[in-house]
Amino acid sequence: MQILNGKEAAQSIKDALKLEVAQLAANGKEVPHLVAILIGNNGASETYVGAKVKACEEVGFKSTLIRFEETVSAFKVLETIRDLNRDPDVDGILVQLPLPEHISADEVITCIDPAKDVDGFHPNTIGKLVLGQPSFIPATPYGIILMLEHYKIETKGRHAVVIGRSNIVGRPMSILLSGSGSYGNATVTICHSHTQNLKEICATADIVIAALGRPGFVTEDMVKEGAVIIDVGITRIADETRKSGYRISGDVDFPAVSQKASFITPVPGGVGPMTIAALMKNTFKACAVKHYE
Ligand code: GUN
């Protein structure tokens, strides 16, 4: 069994980007600029946005964090996005989800200029992804593809079972794996809360992508000997023995499942860092197209 070390793989991607950014700067070109919008005080969102801003610093991007109170109006958020859409200094815009109940995520995401949609959530972006046209790939599925690429794990002709059908992870992941692009050409089954015989289906998978947000859901009896296990779960569980007061749990029962897997991602340190590296790649791409226009 081999651990898929997301920290290491993400570092090599960020190191390569850092060189490319230095090259841009040396040629007097603008470096990428990512703007993150954070609404409210959700602890997990604070952590993720903090990690995104830190990664920008690491690779040499400009970054701006715009914070709003939980009570901010939808109008104000949309107005801010429209300003950012018009600002030629801004390459990428992301609005950290989830949003407060009074603000529609659909409306906010649709307001972002697709050319700056580095999260890959805009309907135009998803439409292109479905059609196999070049587009921004949502960061988590993109990070998983980059992980498979880094460890040269073949997907062609294999049976991939994606557990979870979220717009952010499961659905785009299933499209990429079943597409004809590199790291596609798999036979894909999507399982969700209404799937019957989930255990039996999962046990036939060569590749399992667990993205349902239920700690320890994938157990040893659901996994075929030699399967590749990708754990997207990041649930916070109260733990008084930790300084933070919580620990992070994945969707896979790691100690037991790792005994059967050929490759497996740890949580933390697996998919999480790859997601950030993928966002950095998208932001670089959003900026780079300007230099070739
Ligand atoms: N919330 C959970 N995952 C994500 C993500 O990839 N992007 C944004 N903007 N919000 C999220």
Side-chain angles (χ1 to χ4, degrees):
M1 181 272 297
Q2 188 178 354
I3 299 277
L4 298 171
N5 187 332
K7 264 193 189 163
E8 230 171 67
Q11 196 59 53
S12 75
I13 290 167
K14 286 187 290 183
D15 288 346
L17 271 178
K18 192 172 172 175
L19 288 177
E20 292 197 74
V21 176
Q23 193 82 45
L24 283 182
N27 292 334
K29 299 231 164 84
E30 274 174 55
V31 300
H33 180 192
L34 175 69
V35 177
I37 299 178
L38 176 58
I39 304 174
N41 301 298
N42 178 307
S45 291
E46 297 255 3
T47 305
Y48 302 145
V49 169
K52 291 170 187 180
V53 169
K54 183 165 162 273
C56 284
E57 281 164 21
E58 242 184 279
V59 297
F61 292 178
K62 274 173 70 176
S63 68
T64 305
L65 172 56
I66 300 177
R67 302 188 69 122
F68 289 116
E69 298 285 335
E70 184 87 17
T71 51
V72 68
S73 68
F75 182 84
K76 176 73 190 160
V77 175
L78 295 171
E79 186 183 49
T80 303
I81 293 171
R82 288 189 196 106
D83 286 343
L84 295 169
N85 285 345
R86 280 192 293 268
D87 185 345
D89 180 51
V90 172
D91 299 297
I93 303 166
L94 77 80
V95 181
Q96 189 64 30
L97 305 177
L99 298 179
E101 263 184 25
H102 66 281
I103 301 180
S104 151
D106 282 345
E107 202 176 350
V108 163
I109 289 165
T110 308
C111 183
I112 296 172
D113 177 351
K116 300 187 180 189
D117 175 33
V118 289
D119 249 337
F121 295 166
H122 192 285
N124 285 20
T125 314
I126 297 286
K128 286 184 175 178
L129 188 81
V130 172
L131 296 171
Q133 296 174 8
S135 69
F136 293 115
I137 304 172
T140 303
Y142 190 17
I144 293 169
I145 297 289
L146 292 170
M147 176 83 99
L148 297 172
E149 217 168 61
H150 185 85
Y151 284 95
K152 300 187 169 46
I153 296 170
E154 185 63 77
T155 54
K156 188 166 72 181
R158 302 180 85 184
H159 182 208
V161 170
V162 179
I163 313 175
R165 55 180 164 183
S166 71
N167 290 339
I168 292 181
V169 187
R171 199 172 296 280
M173 190 75 243
S174 68
I175 292 161
L176 289 164
L177 286 168
S178 61
S180 57
S182 61
Y183 292 86
N185 294 308
T187 302
V188 179
T189 306
I190 310 181
C191 296
H192 47 75
S193 49
H194 294 271
T195 298
Q196 290 176 6
N197 307 324
L198 194 150
K199 204 169 257 204
E200 288 75 13
I201 294 167
C202 196
T204 68
D206 301 309
I207 301 169
V208 177
I209 314 276
L212 70 161
R214 296 248 309 262
F217 180 86
V218 177
T219 47
E220 178 258 340
D221 56 324
M222 293 167 68
V223 170
K224 186 167 81 174
E225 197 72 46
V228 176
I229 310 293
I230 308 288
D231 189 348
V232 187
I234 35 161
T235 306
R236 288 184 174 201
I237 296 186
D239 185 343
E240 282 164 18
T241 68
R242 304 286 176 106
K243 211 169 74 184
S244 59
Y246 66 87
R247 66 189 150 83
I248 301 288
S249 173
D251 289 348
V252 176
D253 175 8
F254 184 92
V257 171
S258 59
Q259 302 297 314
K260 285 176 101 175
S262 55
F263 295 91
I264 186 166
T265 59
V267 176
V271 173
M274 295 307 291
T275 298
I276 307 270
L279 174 69
M280 296 299 112
K281 277 181 82 77
N282 277 346
T283 307
F284 185 84
K285 187 171 140 191
C287 174
V289 293
K290 287 199 313 200
H291 297 314
Y292 298 115
E293 271 167 1

